Amino acid sequence: MVQWIRSLIFVAQIYAMMIVIGLGFLPFAAFSRRAARLACKTYSRWVFWTMSWMVGIKHEVRGTPPEGQVLIAAKHQSFLDIMMIFTALPEAKFIMKKEILWTPIIGLYAMRLDCVAVDRGKRGAAIEKMLKDVSTGKVHPGQLIIYSQGTRVAPGVRMPYKVGSHALYAQLQQPCVPVATNVGLFWPRKGIWRKPGVAVVEFLDPIAPGKDKASFMSELETRVEAASNALMAEAGFDAQNHQSG
C-alpha cells in the first residue's frame, strides 16, 4: 500500500514537471534545437532523480552509446527506456507515430528534435525525406532510433520483430546498434505501480552494414532478446518461464 501511494505521487509529479519544464524552456526551444534537447534531458534527469528516492528505481546505462550517425534498434518496454536512451546519446531522434505530434508539449519538442513522424505504411517516404533534409542541411544528422517490435512489449511477452528495422538499415547504409533493456520490470508499460530495482539499458556491439534481410533480422532479434533476458534474469525474472503471446 505504501509503495502504491509513493508510485501515485511520483507519477503525478512527473507529469506536472513535464508541463513546468516544457513551458519554462519553450521560449528558448522554439528557436533553438540545443535548448529543446536541453529541456528534454533536464526533464529526464528530473525523473531519474525523483524515481530513485520516491519509488526506489535506480538506472544504469551499459555498453558504449554511439556518437556518430548510426541506426539504433531498441527493445521498448516503457517510457523509461525512451528517456534513458535519449539522455545517453548526443543527437537522438526517434521514429514515431504521427499522432504523437498532436500530444501537448511532447509533440512540439519532437518536431524541434527532428524526430521522424510517420503514417502507418508510409515509413519509407518519411525516411527518404529525412535523408534528403540531412543532405541539404535542413535536418541535423544524428542517431536515429527505431523500436524493432513497433510498440511497448511487457517482459515475458513474445512479439515479432518488424521488417521496418531492416528497411531502415538497408536504406541508411549505416551500422545498427542493438539496445536491450529490463526497464519494464520496474516501470511497466501501463499503470501507476512502480517497483524498486535497477533499470538498465544496454548498448550492444554494432551490426555492420551490408547484411541481407534474413541475416540482419535473425541477428538483431537473437542478440536483443538474449541480452534483455539476461538483464531481466539479474533482477530475478525468468523470461523463458513467463513467455506469452
Side-chain angles (χ1 to χ4, degrees):
M1 184 65 178
V2 172
Q3 185 66 18
W4 191 92
I5 294 173
R6 291 164 67 94
S7 297
L8 179 62
I9 295 171
F10 169 73
V11 171
Q13 66 87 23
I14 64 171
Y15 282 111
M17 286 304 295
M18 181 183 292
I19 296 172
V20 171
I21 293 175
L23 294 180
F25 275 88
L26 187 58
F28 311 99
F31 301 99
S32 168
R33 287 181 63 259
R34 183 177 180 181
R37 191 168 298 279
L38 177 61
C40 294
K41 291 195 174 186
T42 298
Y43 173 72
S44 297
R45 288 168 181 143
W46 171 266
V47 173
F48 300 155
W49 178 64
T50 56
M51 75 183 187
S52 68
W53 60 268
M54 292 186 74
V55 292
I57 301 176
K58 310 297 182 183
H59 76 289
E60 180 180 334
V61 176
R62 298 182 185 175
T64 305
E67 297 185 355
Q69 294 188 60
V70 297
L71 174 66
I72 292 176
K75 182 105 174 148
H76 188 22
Q77 293 184 340
S78 75
F79 184 47
L80 179 56
D81 58 65
I82 294 176
M83 293 184 287
M84 290 176 66
I85 292 171
F86 180 81
T87 56
L89 297 170
E91 291 286 342
K93 59 189 72 179
F94 292 86
I95 298 283
M96 65 183 194
K97 295 182 295 185
K98 190 174 182 179
E99 292 79 7
I100 294 177
L101 293 179
W102 300 103
T103 304
I105 299 178
I106 293 176
L108 174 64
Y109 279 90
M111 287 189 290
R112 294 297 297 127
L113 295 174
D114 293 332
C115 291
V116 181
V118 297
D119 287 320
R120 189 179 298 273
K122 297 182 180 179
R123 179 183 288 117
I127 297 302
E128 287 179 8
K129 181 179 184 302
M130 185 204 71
L131 292 173
K132 181 179 179 180
D133 287 347
V134 168
S135 65
T136 59
K138 293 181 180 179
V139 173
H140 288 73
Q143 301 83 42
L144 183 63
I145 302 155
I146 185 170
Y147 287 113
S148 302
Q149 292 166 294
T151 188
R152 294 168 295 176
V153 180
V157 174
R158 297 181 63 183
M159 186 170 289
Y161 279 57
K162 298 182 179 296
V163 295
S165 297
H166 179 264
L168 280 176
Y169 167 78
Q171 189 171 6
L172 294 171
Q173 298 184 8
Q174 296 172 354
C176 174
V177 177
V179 177
T181 191
N182 70 354
V183 302
L185 295 177
F186 315 105
W187 184 313
R189 59 192 292 266
K190 295 181 179 179
I192 292 173
W193 174 263
R194 301 292 184 266
K195 179 183 176 181
V198 181
V200 181
V201 296
E202 182 176 2
F203 291 86
L204 308 178
D205 291 337
I207 301 173
K211 290 183 177 289
D212 61 64
K213 183 170 72 173
S215 298
F216 172 82
M217 293 302 299
S218 176
E219 180 174 353
L220 176 65
E221 180 171 356
T222 299
R223 290 176 58 191
V224 171
E225 289 301 305
S228 295
N229 289 345
L231 293 176
M232 290 187 282
E234 286 184 22
F237 181 85
D238 187 348
Q240 298 298 323
N241 291 332
H242 288 80
Q243 284 189 352
S244 63

